[in-house]
Amino acid sequence: MTGVPWTGRGSRRHRRRRWAGTINLNLTAPMLLSQLVLDPMREQGGGAIVNMASSGGIGFESYGSPEYGAAKAGLIRFTASLASLERSHAVRMMCVAPDRIGLSRAQAQWERMSADERAASRPLIPPAEVVSVVLSLIHEGVGGAVVEMWGGEQPVVHAP
């Protein structure tokens, strides 16, 4: 496995813990939280759950953090698989999968890039655009919908 980027530094035990932590935070926690709120939401007449995935969970290209990409791909599939909650519980579960959002860490990375690297990259997504998509889903989204967001492009909605 020499040269495989996800092998990382540190012991195998450390990597396993890091991978487990990433999967727990980005997939297991949203799944468990969804289970916890379903009955109370149904008792109160329904509602909306919007999961935050990532473009790292979309596609078949190599991804620098495979445990993160796998967790986000799982969250996308989890969301799409539960489209029927809209009928059974009056709960619409939806998901937003943005590319890089223009928050401080991504902006710092962007500024460290050369002009050629920036020209070859999609622009950062303004945080307000992500908020707008989330609010739109809350107000009028369809259960099971997944919205891809790519910098410089209109959001792409995949609905069942």
Side-chain angles (χ1 to χ4, degrees), residues 103-124:
L103 298 172
S104 58
R105 185 172 126 190
Q107 287 177 347
Q109 290 171 340
W110 184 264
E111 290 168 10
R112 287 192 301 271
M113 294 168 77
S114 70
D116 289 341
E117 289 172 321
R118 283 194 296 272
S121 299
R122 288 186 178 95
L124 299 176

Side-chain angles (χ1 to χ4, degrees), residues 47-54 58 72-87 91-98 133-149 155-160:
I49 297 171
V50 180
N51 290 315
M52 290 302 299
S54 165
I58 298 170
K72 292 303 187 174
L75 187 58
I76 291 167
R77 190 70 191 127
F78 173 72
T79 300
S81 295
L82 291 175
S84 64
L85 288 175
E86 189 166 0
R87 284 188 314 277
V91 173
R92 295 170 296 117
M93 183 180 292
M94 300 152 291
C95 186
V96 179
V133 167
V134 169
L135 291 174
S136 176
L137 286 172
I138 290 169
H139 293 291
E140 56 195 40
V142 175
V146 175
V147 181
E148 292 182 42
M149 296 184 73
V156 177
V157 179
H158 302 276

